[in-house]
Amino acid sequence: MSRITVIGGTGYAGSAILAEAAARGHQVTALSRSLPDAPIPDVTYVQGDATDETTLSSVIEGSDIVVDAIAPRGPLVGHARDVHRTIARLANAAGVGLFIVGGASSLRPAPGADRFVTDPSHLGLIPTELHDEIRDGAAFIIEDLPATPATLDWVYVSPALRFGAHVPGERLGRYRLGDEVAVQPEDGGAISAADYALGFVDLIEKGDHHRAQVNLGH
């Protein structure tokens, strides 16, 4: 069993990953701005600010795996990419494997094709006020992670396009795994939080991917 720390552990993806990892017997710690109203059994919660490097170091050190599940909300608006970079730097310094909850816009529709984020028609489907957030999130996998030291073992896990509290979906107990090319969707591209977490923890346990982007979809 691994010591897994989830930064952003009370968010949509983070809380699902916590629940899945704890159910499998991993030693799980969550860092979040506020404590949950309904804590997940067998999870240790730490209340703190992810923009504070000392706080990040305190939860990353001693872990086997750190999960970066932060969302650009509240104090992280406009600063999420910097926090992602800090988490990556601290994970590397601590010799900890890094798994990132990514976005779908950084995927490619087909091998060799441009990423969705570079397609104006794709962005046209998304509210204008979210465009900068999407570009920053994609830049972390396109520019920042490949430039990290080779000693950092990272995996960037993108969900299907329809993923989030606004489209919760239901647990099917299955998922399909792809690389940086979006898996061909059966229903337009969706995955529930429970099934994303199922695949996410499988990736952690199997350890088959290194310094790579993957994606999970139904």
Side-chain angles (χ1 to χ4, degrees), residues 93-121:
V96 174
L98 175 62
F99 284 73
I100 303 102
V101 173
S105 292
S106 59
L107 295 170
R108 303 179 190 276
D114 290 339
R115 298 176 189 267
F116 289 119
V117 71
T118 64
D119 180 358
S121 65

Side-chain angles (χ1 to χ4, degrees), residues 9 18 33 38 61 86 90 110 128 140-141 152 154 165 167 200 210:
L18 283 178
R33 292 194 306 273
E61 291 176 2
T86 300
L90 294 175
T128 304
F140 183 58
I141 173 60
L152 177 64
W154 56 264
V167 282
F200 200 103
H210 305 278

Side-chain angles (χ1 to χ4, degrees), residues 39-106:
I40 297 168
D42 302 318
V43 171
T44 299
Y45 289 91
V46 177
Q47 187 172 6
D49 185 351
T51 64
D52 181 70
E53 187 166 327
T54 301
T55 299
L56 287 175
S57 293
S58 69
V59 295
I60 289 174
E61 291 176 2
S63 301
D64 298 313
I65 298 292
V66 61
V67 175
D68 177 354
I70 67 166
R73 305 288 181 267
L76 292 180
V77 172
H79 303 287
R81 187 177 177 187
D82 289 336
V83 176
H84 286 310
R85 290 167 171 159
T86 300
I87 292 170
R89 174 169 53 81
L90 294 175
N92 183 53
V96 174
L98 175 62
F99 284 73
I100 303 102
V101 173
S105 292
S106 59

